């Protein structure tokens, strides 16, 4: 029997002839949804076990189905399975092959379900697996960031606003900023996973089924918390995919921001970090070049992931309940975004683990641009009880004096400072060095090395 006639047989007598090549091409999804083969087979095995337990099919048929499905999975995993576009999708491909293996009992597998609840459930299981993988990728990146933070807890560097030197911070504090970002990404993914963890099987086409299914049994077998509560919503919902894409987009944005910093920091103008050869490339014409290509490619991945989110939002925005064929366009975008996110997470974890901060250059840069001006203003408030706005004005005058003298604030003499504010004492110099500055920032969440070490300890305990 040809693929086309086999497809017609599975559809039944409604279609007397197969679709032409154009319809086959636009209707088929097997080229991409075959990635859900494992989830499809796992769900079908659970469904068959439940049907037998409920007396809807015999135990012998259920056993044949479950064992036959394992054979199909083995063929798919070892590359001997022949996928047919005429059979449209992974569900029909699996069922067709199952019938070739076990015969008539294969036709009983689809009792009490539809491709509508089947595909929604398979897709949800696939996205759930991807959330778990992404969480693991974030944990690996976080561990690399914590190692960098610990190694540079006392290392000073410039903190920026508007990409202008603002105040000194520690390298460890900067690394921990990204730990906080990626921890929120992990939390979003965990939250999305929890919310989506409802089993769709049993919703059937859109209205449920008259068969006495035990949906709780199927849900438990597949690791879901509960069955979904509304059959219409169950088959038409793709919120779980949208939430995954949303969380992925935010995470990719964080990766892109860090990638941008690495691109800037690795330039000869900054010289803040050296990236390893494993994550850099050379130039085909300029032998001196060492390009941060991995960081640049990570920076670009956010465009693909954001595009996937907007694409699926646009697909879903105009669909009435319940299922529409438009929803076949949900998977490729999610698959692509998942691949891009996992690659970006792995590449960033590798770059962070391998990169070397340039301590002397970082310290020199931290001391430029009058970075301790705020420390001076704060000292005037604390030591002289000066209103902050007045302290701000005095400090600004001293910055102008230093700028005119082509020096930094710590290079001014006490006499020069007292010419602006006679009450200033020698004690002011205790706060003007960059190390003094970061050591003084002990407020919770501040950059002081002691704070950095405490946060590292907290995060390591949390990660286990």
């Amino acid at each position: 029997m040809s693929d086309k006639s086999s497809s017609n047989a599975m559809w039944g007598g409604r279609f007397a002839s197969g679709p032409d090549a154009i319809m086959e091409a636009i209707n088929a999804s097997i080229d991409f949804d075959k990635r859900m083969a494992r989830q499809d087979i796992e769900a079908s095995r659970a469904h068959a076990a439940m049907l037998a337990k409920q007396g809807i099919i015999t135990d012998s048929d259920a056993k044949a189905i479950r064992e036959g499905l394992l054979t199909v999975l083995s063929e798919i995993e070892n590359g001997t399975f022949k996928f047919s576009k005429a059979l449209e999708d992974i569900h029909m491909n699996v069922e067709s092959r199952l019938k070739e293996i076990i015969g008539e009992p294969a036709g009983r597998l689809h009792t009490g379900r539809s491709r509508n609840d089947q595909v929604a459930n398979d897709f949800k299981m696939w996205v759930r697996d991807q959330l778990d993988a992404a969480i693991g990728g974030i944990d690996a990146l976080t561990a690399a960031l914590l190692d960098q933070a610990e190694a540079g807890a006392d290392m000073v560097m410039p903190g920026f606003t508007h990409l202008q030197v603002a105040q000194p911070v520690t390298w460890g504090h900067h690394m921990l900023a990204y730990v906080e970002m990626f921890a929120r990404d992990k939390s979003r993914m965990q939250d999305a996973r929890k919310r989506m963890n409802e089993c769709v099987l049993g919703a059937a086409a859109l209205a449920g089924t008259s068969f006495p299914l035990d949906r709780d049994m199927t849900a438990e077998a597949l690791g879901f918390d509960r069955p979904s509560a509304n059959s219409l919503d169950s088959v038409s919902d793709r919120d779980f995919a949208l939430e995954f894409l949303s969380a992925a987009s935010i995470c990719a944005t964080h990766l892109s921001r860090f990638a941008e910093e690495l691109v800037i920091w690795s330039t000869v103008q900054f010289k803040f970090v050296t990236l390893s050869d494993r994550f850099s490339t050379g130039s085909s014409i300029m032998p001196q070049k060492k390009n941060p290509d991995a960081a640049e490619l990570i920076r670009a991945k956010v465009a693909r992931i954001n595009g996937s989110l907007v694409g699926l939002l646009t697909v879903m925005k105009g669909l009435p309940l319940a299922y529409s064929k438009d929803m076949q366009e949900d998977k490729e975008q999610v698959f692509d975004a998942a691949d891009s996110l996992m690659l970006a997470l792995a590449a960033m974890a590798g770059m962070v683990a391998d990169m070397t901060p340039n301590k002397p250059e970082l310290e020199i840069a931290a001391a430029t641009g009058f970075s301790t001006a705020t420390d001076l203003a704060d000292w005037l408030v604390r030591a002289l009880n000066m209103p902050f706005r007045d302290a701000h004005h005095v400090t600004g005058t001293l910055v102008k004096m230093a700028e005119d003298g082509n020096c930094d604030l710590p290079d001014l003499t006490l006499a020069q400072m007292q010419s602006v504010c006679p009450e200033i004492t020698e004690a002011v110099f205790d706060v003007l060095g960059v190390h003094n500055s970061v050591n003084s920032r002990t407020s919770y969440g501040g950059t002081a090395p002691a704070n950095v070490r405490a946060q590292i300890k907290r995060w390591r305990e949390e990660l286990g």
Side-chain angles (χ1 to χ4, degrees):
M1 182 181 292
S2 70
D3 285 344
K4 190 165 290 187
S5 60
S6 174
S7 175
N8 295 335
M10 295 190 73
W11 272 109
R14 170 64 181 84
F15 295 92
S17 61
D20 62 24
I22 294 174
M23 183 59 193
E24 182 177 288
I26 196 171
N27 197 47
S29 58
I30 187 59
D31 287 345
F32 53 85
D33 69 16
K34 62 187 177 184
R35 292 184 64 161
M36 302 190 303
R38 183 178 60 79
Q39 289 81 10
D40 185 72
I41 289 171
E42 184 182 352
S44 289
R45 295 185 79 241
H47 183 67
M50 181 274 296
L51 292 176
K53 180 253 184 185
Q54 294 298 99
I56 300 171
I57 66 174
T58 65
D59 289 338
S60 61
D61 281 350
K63 181 180 180 183
I65 289 169
R66 286 168 58 80
E67 291 179 354
L69 286 169
L70 288 180
T71 300
V72 175
L73 180 61
S74 176
E75 291 177 353
I76 292 172
E77 290 180 341
N78 65 29
T80 61
F81 189 94
K82 294 183 179 179
F83 292 100
S84 167
K85 184 170 287 191
L87 290 170
E88 297 182 13
D89 56 33
I90 186 61
H91 324 296
M92 301 295 270
N93 269 265
V94 168
E95 188 175 331
S96 176
R97 178 60 181 143
L98 180 65
K99 186 175 182 180
E100 291 174 354
I101 295 170
I102 68 171
E104 186 266 345
R108 303 187 186 279
L109 173 60
H110 210 54
T111 307
R113 75 176 185 186
S114 162
R115 281 200 296 180
N116 293 356
D117 61 341
Q118 187 180 2
V119 66
N121 204 73
D122 291 354
F123 193 24
K124 185 175 283 192
M125 290 173 65
W126 192 92
V127 171
R128 187 177 63 179
D129 290 343
Q130 288 303 303
L131 284 167
D132 290 340
I135 288 167
I138 290 172
D139 282 345
L141 174 54
T142 299
L145 288 165
L146 288 173
D147 288 343
Q148 282 284 354
E150 191 164 39
D154 295 290
M155 194 184 304
V156 293
M157 66 174 291
F160 297 91
T161 61
H162 308 278
L163 203 57
Q164 305 292 317
V165 173
Q167 293 177 268
V169 296
T170 54
W171 173 264
H173 194 57
H174 200 109
M175 296 298 105
L176 288 175
Y178 283 101
V179 170
E180 295 286 339
M181 290 187 201
F182 293 118
R184 291 194 295 274
D185 293 323
K186 178 179 176 179
S187 177
R188 272 183 283 271
M189 292 181 182
Q190 290 171 324
D191 187 51
R193 191 191 194 285
K194 181 178 180 181
R195 185 163 32 255
M196 66 173 279
N197 208 31
E198 295 182 344
C199 185
V200 178
L201 285 179
L206 75 161
T209 177
S210 59
F211 291 99
L213 306 184
D214 184 346
R215 294 191 65 206
D216 289 292
M217 176 183 173
T218 311
E220 182 178 359
L222 296 175
F224 289 103
D225 295 328
R226 65 192 71 82
S228 55
N230 184 284
S231 57
L232 278 169
D233 176 60
S234 299
V235 299
S236 60
D237 167 46
R238 292 299 183 270
D239 287 2
F240 61 89
L242 290 168
E243 284 200 68
F244 168 70
L245 290 175
S246 178
S249 293
I250 298 171
C251 183
T253 298
H254 294 153
L255 289 166
S256 181
R257 293 183 71 180
F258 197 12
E260 170 71 3
E261 293 201 312
L262 294 181
V263 170
I264 293 170
W265 289 354
S266 62
T267 62
V268 293
Q269 289 79 15
F270 273 73
K271 298 186 223 177
F272 283 5
V273 298
T274 300
L275 301 178
S276 75
D277 291 345
R278 293 201 310 153
F279 294 97
S280 306
T281 65
S283 166
S284 62
I285 191 172
M286 295 169 284
Q288 84 282 7
K289 294 289 294 298
K290 185 176 181 181
N291 299 322
D293 281 10
E296 292 171 353
L297 289 167
I298 289 172
R299 192 173 57 185
K301 290 295 183 185
V302 69
R304 294 178 67 132
I305 297 171
N306 285 354
S308 295
L309 172 59
V310 173
L312 185 54
L313 283 168
T314 306
V315 167
M316 297 302 299
K317 73 172 183 62
L319 300 186
L321 298 183
Y323 181 82
S324 297
K325 193 68 170 180
D326 311 50
M327 293 163 73
Q328 184 168 287
E329 293 296 312
D330 56 0
K331 295 169 197 66
E332 285 182 282
Q333 298 167 95
V334 175
F335 294 161
D336 184 77
D339 291 345
S340 295
L341 179 64
M342 291 307 300
L343 184 58
L345 283 168
M348 184 60 81
M351 277 196 298
V352 170
D354 286 359
M355 71 182 180
T356 303
N358 188 339
K359 183 177 179 179
E361 291 290 341
L362 287 167
E363 186 160 341
I364 291 169
T368 61
F370 311 105
S371 64
T372 57
T374 305
D375 297 277
L376 173 56
D378 289 347
W379 182 88
L380 293 170
V381 172
R382 287 195 313 271
L384 305 183
N385 198 29
M386 186 181 293
F388 182 79
R389 287 301 172 197
D390 294 343
H392 187 282
H393 177 74
V394 168
T395 301
T397 303
L398 290 172
V399 166
K400 182 65 167 60
M401 180 183 292
E403 193 173 42
D404 291 343
N406 197 28
C407 66
D408 207 344
L409 283 172
D411 301 319
L412 295 175
T413 66
L414 180 60
Q416 286 175 304
M417 291 188 183
Q418 288 176 337
S419 69
V420 175
C421 178
E423 293 83 4
I424 293 177
T425 68
E426 192 77 31
V428 72
F429 292 100
D430 292 337
V431 303
L432 291 182
V434 291
H435 286 282
N436 291 334
S437 173
V438 296
N439 285 327
S440 72
R441 304 291 173 177
T442 56
S443 61
Y444 183 76
T447 190
N451 287 16
V452 170
R453 292 190 176 91
Q455 290 292 333
I456 292 169
K457 182 175 183 293
R458 176 177 74 86
W459 279 115
R460 289 204 189 280
E461 290 172 352
E462 187 165 317
L463 286 174

